[in-house]
Amino acid sequence: MGESMDDIESRIVELVAKSKNLPVSDVRMDTTFDELQIDSLDKINLSFAVEEMFSIEIPDESLNSLKTVGDVVRGVASLRAAAAPPDASAS
């Protein structure tokens, strides 16, 4: 049902690399948005793409705290975990 952290990481790394026309190998979990020359407008556009990709909603106030690719991956993982429906087998 849920994607693993590796799945989320690879999808986000691919998205970020594509958005900046970079090879995927140039984007790592600890790569900062400053290193990638991602400005606030890029960050907003990326957040929309991530929201659509993972069917989540990123709170606007969270955008300012995202500094690295890993921050986005961890944020998506926690938002998806919070949005996961309760265990269906419990009913």
Side-chain angles (χ1 to χ4, degrees):
M1 137 133 179
E3 289 153 301
S4 74
M5 197 71 157
D6 286 343
D7 294 335
I8 294 170
E9 177 182 345
S10 63
R11 290 175 68 186
I12 290 176
V13 164
E14 202 171 291
L15 177 70
V16 171
K18 185 176 176 186
S19 75
K20 298 307 281 183
N21 293 318
L22 294 168
V24 171
S25 59
D26 285 2
V27 181
R28 300 172 319 280
M29 288 284 281
D30 62 347
T31 305
T32 68
F33 290 144
D34 287 341
E35 290 173 311
L36 296 170
Q37 298 180 338
I38 291 177
D39 60 21
S40 56
L41 182 59
D42 290 331
K43 210 187 274 193
I44 290 167
N45 290 332
L46 274 172
S47 74
F48 288 141
V50 168
E51 286 176 338
E52 191 172 307
M53 181 181 281
F54 292 100
S55 302
I56 57 171
E57 192 168 315
I58 300 170
D60 292 340
E61 62 273 10
S62 296
L63 288 179
N64 291 333
S65 67
L66 301 175
K67 306 287 185 219
T68 68
V69 174
D71 290 344
V72 178
V73 172
R74 287 183 289 277
V76 167
S78 66
L79 285 169
R80 286 188 55 90
D87 186 358
S89 65
S91 56

